[in-house]
Amino acid sequence: LKGNDDEQDKMKHLKLVQDGINAIDQKKMIKVVLSRQEVFALNHLDLSIIFRKLLFNYPRAFVYIWYHPEIGLWAGASPERFLIAKGADFSTMALAGTQLFTGKKNITWGAKEVREQQIVTDHIVNELSGIPIKVGSPYTKKAGNLLHLCTDIHGKLSGDDHLRTLIEKLHPTAAV
């Protein structure tokens, strides 16, 4: 985008941010993550190189390249584990709060990040009401050059619960 398109995009994004702030002030929501997209053309795109670089740079992440004819090509690496299920046992995580990894061993988290992470944890716990779960304590999880606060959540499906129901309860996650 060039010229006026840049300015229009900037103004549109600033309005989106202000709308988010207003919604929080009006108690319509307690947390929002806003984003925007940039569309650009690439020549000579080698997806195998991109995929290998993502795998190399983010060895502990879920790395993906996904294409859909209506919404295009998506590529990325997410440290968030949506769900691991084995038999009746399952685990998921609440992941929020982010800071740059600087090499320090003793990580300090601010009240804002701790609160964000608790919001995500509470949301997942609420969605899983009626299913027996164990919620761990928050810990720091490294993902590439970033650190996140993470809480592991483990549970067991009973005879009346089904994996499909569990997936429907968890999706969309707060990260989505």
Side-chain angles (χ1 to χ4, degrees):
L1 298 176
K2 298 197 182 216
N4 285 341
D5 288 341
D6 280 342
E7 191 61 30
Q8 286 175 338
D9 186 49
K10 177 181 175 183
M11 297 310 294
K12 186 177 175 182
H13 186 70
L14 289 174
K15 182 185 180 323
L16 180 66
V17 169
Q18 188 60 55
D19 290 347
I21 292 168
N22 293 344
I24 291 170
D25 288 345
Q26 295 166 10
K27 309 284 189 233
K28 292 180 180 176
M29 60 183 71
I30 55 175
K31 180 182 185 224
V32 63
V33 177
L34 303 171
S35 66
R36 60 183 171 172
Q37 70 177 11
E38 289 190 41
V39 178
F40 52 92
L42 296 174
N43 295 323
H44 309 293
L45 181 67
D46 187 336
L47 292 178
S48 66
I49 291 172
I50 292 170
F51 191 68
R52 285 193 298 265
K53 283 184 177 182
L54 286 169
L55 288 170
F56 179 78
N57 288 321
Y58 304 99
R60 294 184 180 162
F62 172 66
V63 176
Y64 60 92
I65 293 182
W66 181 77
Y67 175 78
H68 189 279
E70 292 182 23
I71 58 175
L73 180 73
W74 292 65
S78 174
E80 183 184 29
R81 178 183 63 237
F82 174 68
L83 178 66
I84 294 176
K86 187 172 185 179
D89 296 322
F90 70 88
S91 63
T92 187
M93 65 170 52
L95 189 74
T98 305
Q99 63 176 275
L100 189 62
F101 176 64
T102 61
K104 290 186 202 173
K105 300 248 187 224
N106 295 326
I107 308 302
T108 303
W109 290 98
K112 175 187 174 289
E113 290 83 12
V114 171
R115 175 78 177 124
E116 286 177 359
Q117 206 281 332
Q118 191 61 54
I119 290 168
V120 173
T121 301
D122 292 346
H123 173 75
I124 293 172
V125 168
N126 184 54
E127 290 299 313
L128 296 177
S129 65
I131 298 174
I133 59 172
K134 291 182 183 174
V135 180
S137 297
Y139 63 93
T140 300
K141 181 177 179 73
K142 185 175 182 291
N145 64 342
L146 297 176
L147 301 174
H148 303 281
L149 273 171
C150 182
T151 299
D152 293 323
I153 300 168
H154 303 279
K156 190 170 193 86
L157 296 172
S158 68
D160 294 335
D161 296 318
H162 300 285
L163 186 58
R164 180 183 188 104
T165 304
L166 179 62
I167 291 169
E168 289 170 351
K169 287 177 179 264
L170 288 173
H171 182 75
T173 66
V176 173

